[in-house]
Amino acid sequence: MPVLSDLAIDSNAINDGAWASIDEVPGLSIKTRGYTDAFLDAQNRRLEKAMRAASVSQAALIPNAVRRQLNARLLADFLLIDVKGLFHDAEQTQPVTVNEFKALLQDPKYARLVNICWEAAGAITRDGASQAEEAEGNSVAPSSGG
């Protein structure tokens, strides 16, 4: 039987961010916030603005390229805090900075990075810092979903 505490969220991790590892890319860790009120409010405002600009009545009708850019900017502006374990070179002497990482999110060529960021933010929202950090320590990523 579940207990009430099993259903509680880690609001500190959601608001302040926590590190999450991603199974798909061993060694990559992303420090991200969860889905904060500020993020969700900005998402709603930006979707509304994009709908007006596209002259559509539903968010699902916004062109995909517009939606992809909107989502990349939301990640960069509200969720992504830091990144480690990603390099420009095979010798791992030139780490990708968080600002470079944020810029890559705008490039359709790096759509996998966007998906990884959503997975990390979802893990923090769902699992909080303790489980995400535990997963990082065990090289096992939190499950995706949410």
Side-chain angles (χ1 to χ4, degrees), residues 13 15-19 30-33 75-76 78-83 98 102:
N15 291 316
D16 301 334
W19 287 99
I30 296 174
K31 186 173 185 180
T32 181
R33 292 177 187 86
L75 282 167
F78 290 92
L79 301 182
L80 187 60
I81 299 170
D82 203 354
V83 61
V98 69
K102 287 178 179 183

Side-chain angles (χ1 to χ4, degrees), residues 69-86:
Q69 290 299 309
L70 184 147
N71 285 331
R73 285 191 299 273
L74 283 165
L75 282 167
D77 293 347
F78 290 92
L79 301 182
L80 187 60
I81 299 170
D82 203 354
V83 61
K84 63 182 175 183
L86 185 62

Side-chain angles (χ1 to χ4, degrees), residues 105-145:
L105 298 177
Q106 301 284 328
D107 186 343
K109 178 178 170 180
Y110 292 101
R112 287 179 63 199
L113 292 180
V114 173
N115 294 337
I116 288 167
C117 288
W118 289 126
E119 181 180 336
I124 299 305
T125 300
R126 183 187 56 255
D127 300 333
S130 61
Q131 289 180 356
E133 288 168 359
E134 195 175 286
E136 182 177 333
N138 293 327
S139 298
V140 176
S143 62
S144 63

Side-chain angles (χ1 to χ4, degrees), residues 36-52 59 62 67 70-71 74 78:
T36 63
D37 290 341
F39 163 78
L40 294 170
D41 292 343
Q43 182 181 49
N44 289 331
R45 283 190 307 274
R46 292 178 187 192
L47 282 172
E48 181 68 34
K49 183 178 177 182
M51 287 170 37
R52 282 194 310 273
I62 297 170
R67 187 75 177 252
L70 184 147
N71 285 331
L74 283 165
F78 290 92

Side-chain angles (χ1 to χ4, degrees), residues 11-29:
S11 59
N12 288 333
I14 291 170
N15 291 316
D16 301 334
W19 287 99
S21 296
I22 307 300
D23 251 350
E24 182 183 343
V25 186
L28 175 63
S29 294

